[in-house]
Amino acid sequence: RILNAHPNLGVSFDVKSICKKDSLEITDHDRGLLFDAIFKTFKSSSSSSSSQNPRIVVTHGTDTMIETALALQRELGDSNCASIAFTGATKPERFIDSDASFNVGLAVGATSVCSPGSVVIC
Protein backbone atom coordinates (compact mmCIF):
# COMPACT_ATOMS: atom_id res chain seq x y z
CA ARG A 1 0.00 0.00 0.00
CA ILE A 2 2.79 2.42 0.79
CA LEU A 3 4.45 2.25 -2.62
CA ASN A 4 1.10 2.31 -4.42
CA ALA A 5 0.29 5.54 -2.59
CA HIS A 6 3.28 7.18 -4.34
CA PRO A 7 2.83 6.51 -8.07
CA ASN A 8 5.56 8.96 -9.14
CA LEU A 9 8.49 7.18 -7.48
CA GLY A 10 9.96 6.18 -10.82
CA VAL A 11 10.54 2.57 -9.79
CA SER A 12 8.67 -0.53 -10.80
CA PHE A 13 8.11 -3.20 -8.20
CA ASP A 14 6.54 -6.54 -7.45
CA VAL A 15 5.17 -7.41 -4.04
CA LYS A 16 5.48 -10.94 -2.73
CA SER A 17 3.91 -11.82 0.60
CA ILE A 18 5.91 -14.50 2.40
CA CYS A 19 4.31 -14.59 5.82
CA LYS A 20 2.29 -12.21 7.90
CA LYS A 21 3.34 -12.90 11.45
CA ASP A 22 4.58 -11.07 14.46
CA SER A 23 8.35 -11.30 14.05
CA LEU A 24 8.65 -13.08 17.40
CA GLU A 25 6.71 -15.96 15.82
CA ILE A 26 8.89 -16.25 12.69
CA THR A 27 10.49 -19.67 12.38
CA ASP A 28 13.44 -21.00 10.43
CA HIS A 29 10.88 -22.45 8.01
CA ASP A 30 9.47 -18.94 7.41
CA ARG A 31 13.00 -17.63 6.85
CA GLY A 32 13.53 -20.45 4.36
CA LEU A 33 10.45 -19.30 2.43
CA LEU A 34 11.92 -15.79 2.30
CA PHE A 35 15.28 -17.12 1.12
CA ASP A 36 13.56 -19.20 -1.60
CA ALA A 37 11.65 -16.14 -2.83
CA ILE A 38 14.89 -14.14 -3.00
CA PHE A 39 16.67 -16.92 -4.91
CA LYS A 40 13.76 -16.98 -7.40
CA THR A 41 14.19 -13.23 -7.84
CA PHE A 42 17.88 -13.82 -8.61
CA LYS A 43 17.00 -16.45 -11.22
CA SER A 44 14.35 -14.32 -12.92
CA SER A 45 16.62 -11.27 -12.99
CA SER A 46 19.52 -13.25 -14.46
CA SER A 47 17.29 -14.48 -17.29
CA SER A 48 15.90 -11.00 -18.01
CA SER A 49 17.45 -8.63 -20.51
CA SER A 50 17.97 -5.97 -17.84
CA SER A 51 21.56 -5.29 -16.86
CA GLN A 52 20.55 -4.05 -13.40
CA ASN A 53 21.05 -6.17 -10.32
CA PRO A 54 17.90 -6.82 -8.30
CA ARG A 55 16.92 -4.40 -5.56
CA ILE A 56 14.93 -6.07 -2.79
CA VAL A 57 13.13 -4.50 0.17
CA VAL A 58 11.98 -6.83 2.94
CA THR A 59 9.43 -5.49 5.40
CA HIS A 60 9.86 -7.30 8.68
CA GLY A 61 8.89 -6.95 12.30
CA THR A 62 11.56 -5.17 14.28
CA ASP A 63 11.94 -7.76 17.06
CA THR A 64 13.80 -10.33 14.95
CA MET A 65 14.75 -8.36 11.84
CA ILE A 66 18.47 -8.49 12.63
CA GLU A 67 18.39 -12.28 13.07
CA THR A 68 16.65 -12.75 9.73
CA ALA A 69 19.01 -10.36 7.92
CA LEU A 70 22.08 -12.11 9.35
CA ALA A 71 20.68 -15.54 8.47
CA LEU A 72 19.97 -14.33 4.92
CA GLN A 73 23.48 -12.95 4.57
CA ARG A 74 24.94 -16.30 5.73
CA GLU A 75 22.62 -18.26 3.42
CA LEU A 76 23.42 -16.16 0.35
CA GLY A 77 27.16 -15.97 0.89
CA ASP A 78 28.93 -14.94 -2.31
CA SER A 79 25.88 -15.72 -4.45
CA ASN A 80 24.15 -12.45 -3.50
CA CYS A 81 23.83 -10.32 -6.63
CA ALA A 82 21.22 -7.98 -5.13
CA SER A 83 21.03 -4.96 -2.88
CA ILE A 84 18.73 -6.06 -0.07
CA ALA A 85 17.30 -3.73 2.58
CA PHE A 86 15.27 -4.84 5.58
CA THR A 87 12.92 -2.33 7.15
CA GLY A 88 10.22 -2.22 9.79
CA ALA A 89 8.22 0.26 11.78
CA THR A 90 7.74 1.10 15.43
CA LYS A 91 4.00 1.50 14.78
CA PRO A 92 1.97 -0.37 12.16
CA GLU A 93 1.42 1.32 8.82
CA ARG A 94 -2.31 1.70 9.46
CA PHE A 95 -1.63 4.23 12.26
CA ILE A 96 -1.57 7.88 11.23
CA ASP A 97 1.69 8.54 13.07
CA SER A 98 3.48 5.43 11.81
CA ASP A 99 7.05 5.65 10.56
CA ALA A 100 6.40 2.84 8.05
CA SER A 101 6.09 5.05 4.97
CA PHE A 102 9.33 6.89 5.70
CA ASN A 103 11.16 3.65 6.47
CA VAL A 104 10.02 1.93 3.26
CA GLY A 105 11.10 4.99 1.28
CA LEU A 106 14.48 4.95 2.98
CA ALA A 107 14.88 1.23 2.20
CA VAL A 108 14.01 1.77 -1.48
CA GLY A 109 16.59 4.56 -1.61
CA ALA A 110 19.18 2.44 0.17
CA THR A 111 18.89 -0.31 -2.42
CA SER A 112 19.73 2.21 -5.13
CA VAL A 113 23.03 3.25 -3.51
CA CYS A 114 24.21 0.04 -1.82
CA SER A 115 26.53 -2.25 -3.74
CA PRO A 116 25.23 -5.52 -5.12
CA GLY A 117 25.80 -8.12 -2.44
CA SER A 118 24.69 -5.78 0.35
CA VAL A 119 22.25 -6.74 3.08
CA VAL A 120 21.35 -3.68 5.16
CA ILE A 121 18.84 -2.69 7.81
CA CYS A 122 17.04 0.63 7.47
Side-chain angles (χ1 to χ4, degrees), residues 28-49:
D28 288 339
H29 174 75
D30 298 323
R31 288 184 180 94
L33 295 173
L34 173 63
F35 302 164
D36 290 345
I38 290 172
F39 279 120
K40 286 179 186 173
T41 300
F42 290 174
K43 286 181 184 176
S44 67
S45 70
S46 68
S47 64
S48 100
S49 60

Side-chain angles (χ1 to χ4, degrees), residues 3-120:
L3 292 175
N4 286 328
H6 303 284
N8 298 320
L9 285 176
V11 295
S12 61
F13 59 90
D14 294 315
V15 175
K16 295 180 176 92
S17 181
I18 307 303
C19 69
K20 294 181 179 182
K21 292 183 175 181
D22 183 292
S23 70
L24 291 173
E25 297 173 3
I26 290 177
T27 64
D28 288 339
H29 174 75
D30 298 323
R31 288 184 180 94
L33 295 173
L34 173 63
F35 302 164
D36 290 345
I38 290 172
F39 279 120
K40 286 179 186 173
T41 300
F42 290 174
K43 286 181 184 176
S44 67
S45 70
S46 68
S47 64
S48 100
S49 60
S50 172
S51 63
Q52 286 189 330
N53 289 317
R55 295 168 47 193
I56 299 170
V57 172
V58 177
T59 58
H60 195 292
T62 57
D63 289 316
T64 61
M65 183 188 314
I66 292 171
E67 289 88 343
T68 301
L70 289 171
L72 176 64
Q73 193 169 34
R74 281 190 304 271
E75 181 75 18
L76 294 175
D78 293 336
S79 68
N80 185 5
C81 62
S83 298
I84 303 171
F86 280 75
T87 193
T90 57
K91 290 186 181 178
E93 177 261 339
R94 67 183 172 273
F95 293 159
I96 192 85
D97 58 346
S98 173
D99 55 342
S101 185
F102 176 84
N103 295 349
V104 168
L106 179 65
V108 169
T111 62
S112 70
V113 297
C114 289
S115 303
S118 299
V119 177
V120 299

